[in-house]
Amino acid sequence: MFKFLKIRKVQGRQYIPDIRKASVNQKFRGFPLLDSSLCSSCGKCRDVCPSGAISLSPLSIDMGKCVFCGDCTQNCPHESIRFSNFHKLASDSREKLVINPGRSAENYCKNAVEAKREITKIFGRSLKLRSVSAGGCGGCELELNACGNVNFDMERFGIEIVASPRHADGVIITGPVSENMAFALEETYKAIPNPKIVIAMGACAISGGVFAQSEAINREFFSKHKVDIFVPGCPPHPLTVINGILDFLGA
Amino acid sequence: MENWISEKNGQSLSLREVPVLRFAELREDIVEKCRHGMRIAGFFGHREEKTLRLFIVLASDAESTLLVSSAVFSEDEKSYESLTPELPQFSMFEREFYESYGIEPLGHPWLKSVRFPHDGAIKKNEADYPFFKVGGEGIHEVGVGPVHAGVIEPGHFRFMCDGEKVIHLEIHLGYQHRGIEKLMTFPGAISGKSVLAESIAGDSVIANMMAFCAIAESGSEGTPPLRAVVIRTIAMEMERAAIHIGNLAALAGDIGYLTANAFFGATRTYVINLLLAFSGSRFGRGLIRPGGIVYDIDPEIRKAVISSLKMVKDRVILMGEQMFDFPGVLSRFQRTGVVDAATAHKIGMVGLAARASGLKTDVRSDHPSGLYRFSPLHRLSMETGDVFARAFLRYLEIKQSLDFVLEQLEELSDEGSIMKSPAPLKADSFIMSLVEGVRGEIAHFCITDSDGNISRYKIKDPSFNNWPGLAYAVRNEGISDFPLCNKSFDLSYCGFDL
Ligand code: SF4
Ligand code: SF4
């Protein structure tokens, strides 16, 4: 009994009180900051980028492809590319994920995800999601699980991963969608009652990520169904995931 | 000509040095060697113009050597005599070789595709591979997956049950197959494949990078600098501690012991946030690149990591002592999902699960490379082979890893070189690299062509050895204990499926 009380005391309060204002460690590679005045279009960053996220003249990074590996920063001779620790990267459209020089994180975040009031009207303060892991590395799943742990505790906002598609309001997809998972993903989506939303979590789900060139993946799902929230990262930080969904819900 | 060439872990061989024989000439020898303590580490094909060459790597753990040989199959040779009836540890390897190249191991008891690869040589239709059926009155089937009830990777489990009791479990994988080995052979320097290697298994980023870098650095002497070796190993043991702690949380969650679930869950967060504090990623992505490491541990971070890890260790001990002394926990963990030592050895289990069954296998001691050669770790193992043994061994390994990291951090100097660009890969070579990841032996093999480009890259995750162990462990258990058994093995789907 005494031991139990001690455990309780040592555990303390683990939850992050204000998810909206919490920030991530300085070292975290989040929103990219590009400076075209320094860039000589030498192309070294593009050549080392493992996911083809970089375009030159003008310099841009597609956060839907970027895996935030930092290899471009290491190889740029002019320090044109930096990564800030800003983590609210989610967006409601694929185009918005392309970051151009001079774009600031605050400016990006202001209208990256438009709140869908009608969603809140239908679902209220409750959004139940079905997770489908489809061909990734398991990294996104680790972070999606972390969203529900004692630190991030997204269930306090009514966002929950449920065990059956019949109980769900939408699907959260991780991984590039392997050929071998394409059918199961489609079936799961079909089994979710209307209206429903789609969340693509991680570079793999958004664009195929580092597996985009593989013949073993099948991205038909995304040509058939509209994605409502894109959550960049490899894997995305739990705060990126939760804040993205909360923005979408207008919470 | 000798049948084998012997080399150490992390070394490269010239392709010409690897003996080329017929399979029939090697078969007896393989059986003989495996009966006398050797085990399979690699068994995979490679196309060379008109012929197919099967590479076989046997590990001699006692002598810290790897024996390599190869067998050629001409175009009209479509079968060979299976090793599995005598050596069950070859079962998965033979199935994999079969699905990739269509060469049939005659007499294999259960010849099925293992992951339904996109570029395989046999029929891909799942319906062509029926599940094993158990007959008799009252026998029923339960199918689970590929999409599971929580946030879990996909896999299908087919149980044959007698009432609540599991008679047989067949594990059907391949859903995570994304063609990593093939992508590794795409044009470009090996350093450009780093992020791919980090994405073999998202919870074993560091371990896979260790294996990958040993290959990428095989062309040059004196790479990476010592400081990089130390920091890599620190990260690797932190990865082990973090994933093990997360697993203890999950095990506690499975038996409804929510105190430990929450406590260990929060404890894991501390460890991965420390990785973030020096690498910029909670899982150490971007930290390691061929030639060394990218982000140093400066004195200030070093101090912070030391004090936090001490706190983490206190937390682990506080909760661990309570958990492993709690009758409710013990009654669920003890004698559940037993794999005895003889079976573990026979089916070729590796890593933590094998050690929990009493096998003394650990790449860090058996085939040490890098820092483990200078700072050896004491071998840990258990005897009972049940859920308890796998859980408790995790607890012991967490403490050991944390102590190791703390010791290394205490001794770490303030600065030093952390990167030295490696020379390109040697042409026409065969490079092997074994690493003890969280779950056990991760093996990477690389074959280069005459221009030094990668022509074959083979990855073997420890899950490849251990999934059959799980299937064995649940036999005669109640089906409701499956989640617990599964969690206690904590195997990887993505690492298996590639
Ligand atoms: S950080 Fe992003 S843009 Fe830069 S190299 Fe990596 S994937 Fe490419
Ligand atoms: S986005 Fe990155 S972390 Fe997520 S599944 Fe893909 S490779 Fe893994």
Side-chain angles (χ1 to χ4, degrees), chain B residues 339-399:
Chain B
V339 181
D340 59 85
T343 306
H345 175 74
K346 198 155 112 193
I347 60 182
M349 279 167 57
V350 297
L352 180 129
R355 291 194 287 277
S357 292
L359 304 189
K360 306 266 185 294
T361 160
D362 189 327
V363 176
R364 291 172 295 175
S365 312
D366 299 333
H367 303 275
S369 59
L371 195 57
Y372 299 114
R373 276 188 297 171
F374 311 110
S375 309
L377 284 161
H378 179 68
R379 285 171 197 269
L380 297 171
S381 67
M382 299 280 291
E383 294 293 328
T384 47
D386 50 3
V387 171
F388 175 80
R390 289 184 286 274
F392 195 72
L393 189 56
R394 283 212 161 79
Y395 171 63
L396 297 179
E397 291 198 6
I398 295 165
K399 290 196 290 179

Side-chain angles (χ1 to χ4, degrees), chain A residues 29 45 48-54 61-62 65-73 81 83, chain B residues 195:
Chain A
R29 287 183 294 280
C45 56
V48 297
C49 178
S51 61
I54 300 181
I61 289 188
D62 180 351
K65 292 182 177 168
C66 178
V67 294
F68 300 85
C69 65
D71 288 357
C72 48
T73 312
I81 304 176
F83 283 86
Chain B
V195 176

Side-chain angles (χ1 to χ4, degrees), chain B residues 86-322:
Chain B
E86 282 122 304
L87 304 167
Q89 55 170 311
F90 278 78
S91 175
M92 285 299 224
F93 292 87
E94 292 199 315
R95 284 168 60 178
E96 183 189 54
F97 179 58
Y98 169 63
E99 74 173 3
S100 307
Y101 301 95
I103 309 274
E104 189 178 342
L106 298 173
H108 190 291
W110 195 242
L111 197 54
K112 268 177 89 154
S113 190
V114 293
R115 64 171 75 88
F116 303 90
H118 69 294
D119 51 356
I122 57 168
K123 277 182 294 188
K124 214 184 138 195
N125 196 349
E126 288 180 44
D128 293 325
Y129 303 93
F131 290 97
F132 185 77
K133 283 236 184 289
V134 178
E137 205 179 330
I139 301 289
H140 63 103
E141 261 181 60
V142 181
V144 188
V147 185
H148 298 288
V151 184
I152 316 166
E153 293 184 75
H156 181 89
F157 301 94
R158 186 67 63 98
F159 300 89
M160 304 296 304
C161 297
D162 178 8
E164 292 284 297
K165 198 163 83 179
V166 178
I167 305 287
H168 181 77
L169 162 62
E170 189 164 345
I171 301 169
H172 179 98
L173 300 171
Y175 301 98
Q176 295 282 62
H177 175 64
R178 55 211 183 280
I180 270 204
E181 290 180 352
K182 186 74 170 284
L183 289 170
M184 281 288 194
T185 64
F186 278 26
I190 186 163
S191 56
K193 313 273 167 61
S194 300
V195 176
L196 262 184
E198 287 178 335
S199 308
I200 293 167
D203 59 7
S204 305
V205 170
I206 306 288
N208 274 296
M209 278 311 273
M210 294 283 245
F212 168 81
C213 284
I215 287 177
E217 290 155 1
S218 62
S220 31
E221 290 286 320
T223 306
L226 179 64
R227 186 180 180 79
V229 175
V230 174
I231 293 178
R232 280 178 181 183
T233 318
I234 287 172
M236 175 137 127
E237 293 304 323
M238 283 174 72
E239 172 176 271
R240 187 182 323 276
I243 301 302
H244 279 349
I245 294 171
N247 182 263
L248 290 184
L251 280 168
D254 262 357
I255 55 168
Y257 187 27
L258 297 185
T259 308
N261 175 265
F263 196 91
F264 281 129
T267 309
R268 188 201 69 153
T269 306
Y270 286 114
V271 185
I272 59 179
N273 281 351
L274 290 174
L275 269 175
L276 168 68
F278 65 87
S279 75
S281 153
R282 303 217 303 165
F283 301 98
R285 284 169 174 270
L287 172 66
I288 300 176
R289 288 293 176 264
I293 55 165
V294 180
Y295 307 100
D296 202 353
I297 297 184
D298 61 38
E300 200 183 318
I301 293 181
R302 184 177 138 241
K303 250 195 249 141
V305 177
I306 290 176
S307 80
S308 297
L309 283 184
K310 283 187 177 150
M311 178 267 291
V312 164
K313 191 181 154 199
D314 290 344
R315 285 180 65 104
V316 168
I317 292 173
L318 178 68
M319 190 69 246
E321 282 183 350
Q322 173 82 351

Side-chain angles (χ1 to χ4, degrees), chain A residues 98-212:
Chain A
V98 179
I99 305 305
N100 293 311
R103 192 84 199 262
S104 76
E106 293 70 31
N107 179 287
Y108 166 81
C109 174
K110 232 185 295 163
N111 63 355
V113 182
E114 311 267 3
K116 299 280 180 299
R117 300 283 166 206
E118 65 274 21
I119 299 273
T120 333
K121 228 189 270 161
I122 299 167
F123 297 140
R125 260 181 64 91
S126 155
L127 183 72
K128 306 294 173 203
L129 296 169
R130 180 72 164 145
S131 144
V132 177
S133 160
C137 77
C140 282
E141 289 76 2
L142 282 170
E143 290 299 45
L144 186 54
N145 264 321
C147 289
N149 73 12
V150 284
N151 305 108
F152 300 102
D153 190 19
M154 74 176 169
E155 289 183 22
R156 67 180 125 157
F157 307 110
I159 310 165
E160 203 185 332
I161 306 291
V162 290
S164 164
R166 298 287 188 212
H167 305 158
D169 307 313
V171 62
I172 180 158
I173 303 168
T174 49
V177 188
S178 54
E179 173 70 51
N180 294 353
M181 259 315 271
F183 175 73
L185 171 62
E186 188 67 38
E187 289 296 296
T188 306
Y189 180 77
K190 271 197 236 157
I192 300 173
N194 283 320
K196 49 191 161 191
I197 66 164
V198 175
I199 304 176
M201 174 180 176
C204 281
I206 299 175
S207 67
V210 284
F211 306 115

